[in-house]
Amino acid sequence: MAAQTGESASTVLVCGEVRTCLLPTTQALDRRGAAQLLGLRADMYVRVSERPIMHVLSPETLTGVDCRLPASDGSRTRAVGTVIGRAALTEGRLLQTTSYFGLPAVGPDTRRPWGQYLVRPGIVEPFGTLPRKATAAGVLQGARRGELDTGTIAEGLAAQLCRHELLDRRAPFASAPTRLRWVALRTGGDKPAALTNFTLAEDGLRTVKLRLPPDVPASAAAGLCEDLALHDWLLTHVQRMLDDHPFDRADDSRSLAALRPAVTHLLHLWMPRAHVDGALAHLWDTLEAAPGFTRQWQNLVQRIRDQLTLLDLAQCRRAASSKGCEE
């Protein structure tokens, strides 16, 4: 059964997780290779966008779940339904896998036949009343054993794709994946969409809290969080390259080797909101105000350019000195 991008307006909470990593292959995939990699379903097309930056989005898949929901207050609410999974590839280089689902305020007291869950893709129904705030907090804290874990679903999809025969499993530089967990509470009345919290935790974990109007589909929230996760990954890794390999005036080759991956593979990927639903694109303004994603990025890019300029000047001086000695 094909997954649909829209979900019932009766949902009061949407939850998901995004995994972002460098595609393990020497050369970035072109449009055809990216579409082949992300062809998760034979009966649905891969979506390819080449402007303003190449972005390839897989068809959606469904994973059936029947387990407890995470909850910060220790409640043990059982839920049944389907979780949507999908993958995206940016410029043939950065892979993202996402899983997400929506929850209604109240579900049935008994389990329905599976067919009734399949006709509502991406909906997970609680038994009885949903402890909304406790579930949202529990998702952000992380699922425990026996609880619904969107991260495991996203990680499994990433592992599947990274084993694809198209890939030579030789990444152009060392990197680490990041995880972004998100929850979106549905708003009532005329309250607009909002990004209320963005945090950096240890071990590559980020968390995001959103307010989402009832007419904005869960897929739009997933797309926004994918965009945030991608640009956070870029910031994290370019910063790490500069911190781990400081400019070495005595060894130009070492400095160039440290800067080359950023210049060759990453600097051209910065394009916030390029593939975010128009209803949520303005939420980037929150991150531009504080912590200031693009200001941070521009500072990193300028540091790289300054170091390249210094390297060029040093090489010119050595060349001039060597020429003077020969004369």
Side-chain angles (χ1 to χ4, degrees), residues 215-226:
D215 61 338
V216 177
S219 60
L224 170 69
C225 290
E226 287 165 352

Side-chain angles (χ1 to χ4, degrees), residues 85-150:
R86 71 185 193 187
L89 189 64
T90 300
E91 279 294 297
R93 180 56 74 192
L94 287 186
L95 175 67
Q96 295 183 284
T97 55
T98 301
S99 61
Y100 65 95
F101 63 95
L103 289 157
V106 180
D109 293 328
T110 58
R111 195 178 186 281
R112 305 176 190 264
W114 263 115
Q116 295 186 33
Y117 296 108
L118 292 175
V119 297
R120 301 182 68 203
I123 301 296
V124 176
E125 294 183 336
F127 280 28
T129 302
L130 175 72
R132 189 182 321 180
K133 292 183 178 180
T135 300
V139 168
L140 294 181
Q141 291 172 4
R144 295 170 291 186
R145 185 179 180 86
E147 296 177 342
L148 201 166
D149 188 352
T150 52

Side-chain angles (χ1 to χ4, degrees), residues 6-322:
E7 113 268 24
S8 170
S10 64
T11 58
V12 295
L13 177 65
V14 184
C15 310
E17 187 158 336
V18 185
R19 299 294 173 102
T20 305
C21 68
L22 185 69
L23 195 67
T25 193
T26 307
Q27 299 294 326
L29 296 185
D30 60 14
R31 171 178 175 159
R32 180 176 298 180
Q36 184 178 345
L37 175 71
L38 299 190
L40 300 181
R41 297 176 60 94
D43 60 337
M44 297 181 70
Y45 289 108
V46 173
R47 293 165 53 190
V48 180
S49 174
E50 297 195 51
R51 299 288 185 274
I53 190 171
M54 191 175 77
H55 181 262
V56 181
L57 185 65
S58 78
E60 295 178 340
T61 62
L62 295 180
T63 299
V65 295
D66 182 347
C67 53
R68 298 193 312 274
L69 293 172
S72 60
D73 62 0
S75 58
R76 299 170 63 86
T77 304
R78 181 184 170 192
V80 183
T82 57
V83 175
I84 290 177
R86 71 185 193 187
L89 189 64
T90 300
E91 279 294 297
R93 180 56 74 192
L94 287 186
L95 175 67
Q96 295 183 284
T97 55
T98 301
S99 61
Y100 65 95
F101 63 95
L103 289 157
V106 180
D109 293 328
T110 58
R111 195 178 186 281
R112 305 176 190 264
W114 263 115
Q116 295 186 33
Y117 296 108
L118 292 175
V119 297
R120 301 182 68 203
I123 301 296
V124 176
E125 294 183 336
F127 280 28
T129 302
L130 175 72
R132 189 182 321 180
K133 292 183 178 180
T135 300
V139 168
L140 294 181
Q141 291 172 4
R144 295 170 291 186
R145 185 179 180 86
E147 296 177 342
L148 201 166
D149 188 352
T150 52
T152 297
I153 296 172
E155 185 175 357
L157 181 54
Q160 171 191 332
L161 293 173
C162 288
R163 293 192 299 266
H164 198 282
E165 61 183 9
L166 280 175
L167 310 180
D168 60 20
R169 297 172 184 79
R170 296 170 57 192
F173 59 92
S175 65
T178 58
R179 301 169 290 151
L180 186 146
R181 287 190 199 129
W182 58 273
V183 297
L185 290 163
R186 291 290 186 181
T187 62
D190 297 327
K191 291 184 179 179
L195 194 160
T196 59
N197 186 263
F198 176 84
T199 62
L200 303 179
E202 297 179 353
D203 301 324
L205 174 65
R206 286 83 173 99
T207 61
V208 170
K209 292 177 68 175
L210 303 168
R211 288 203 314 262
L212 200 65
D215 61 338
V216 177
S219 60
L224 170 69
C225 290
E226 287 165 352
D227 199 51
L228 300 182
L230 184 142
H231 290 86
D232 171 76
W233 190 98
L234 289 171
L235 272 175
T236 299
H237 283 78
V238 172
Q239 179 74 63
R240 188 173 298 164
M241 288 176 182
L242 288 168
D243 291 344
D244 292 348
H245 303 282
F247 178 59
D248 188 346
R249 296 179 184 274
D251 189 349
D252 290 353
S253 61
R254 180 172 179 268
S255 296
L256 284 171
L259 296 176
R260 185 175 289 112
V263 175
T264 302
H265 303 290
L266 302 182
L267 295 191
H268 63 291
L269 300 184
W270 189 265
M271 207 162 294
R273 313 180 217 222
H275 299 285
V276 175
D277 188 288
L280 299 179
H282 68 282
L283 298 187
W284 255 100
D285 294 341
T286 303
L287 294 174
E288 298 294 24
F293 266 40
T294 297
R295 291 199 306 274
Q296 293 179 43
W297 180 257
Q298 291 171 343
N299 179 59
L300 293 175
V301 171
Q302 189 59 52
R303 284 177 60 191
I304 290 173
R305 289 174 177 166
D306 290 345
Q307 291 193 9
L308 291 173
T309 299
L310 289 173
L311 287 169
D312 188 50
L313 288 173
Q315 290 176 346
C316 289
R317 290 194 188 99
R318 281 195 291 270
S321 175
S322 176

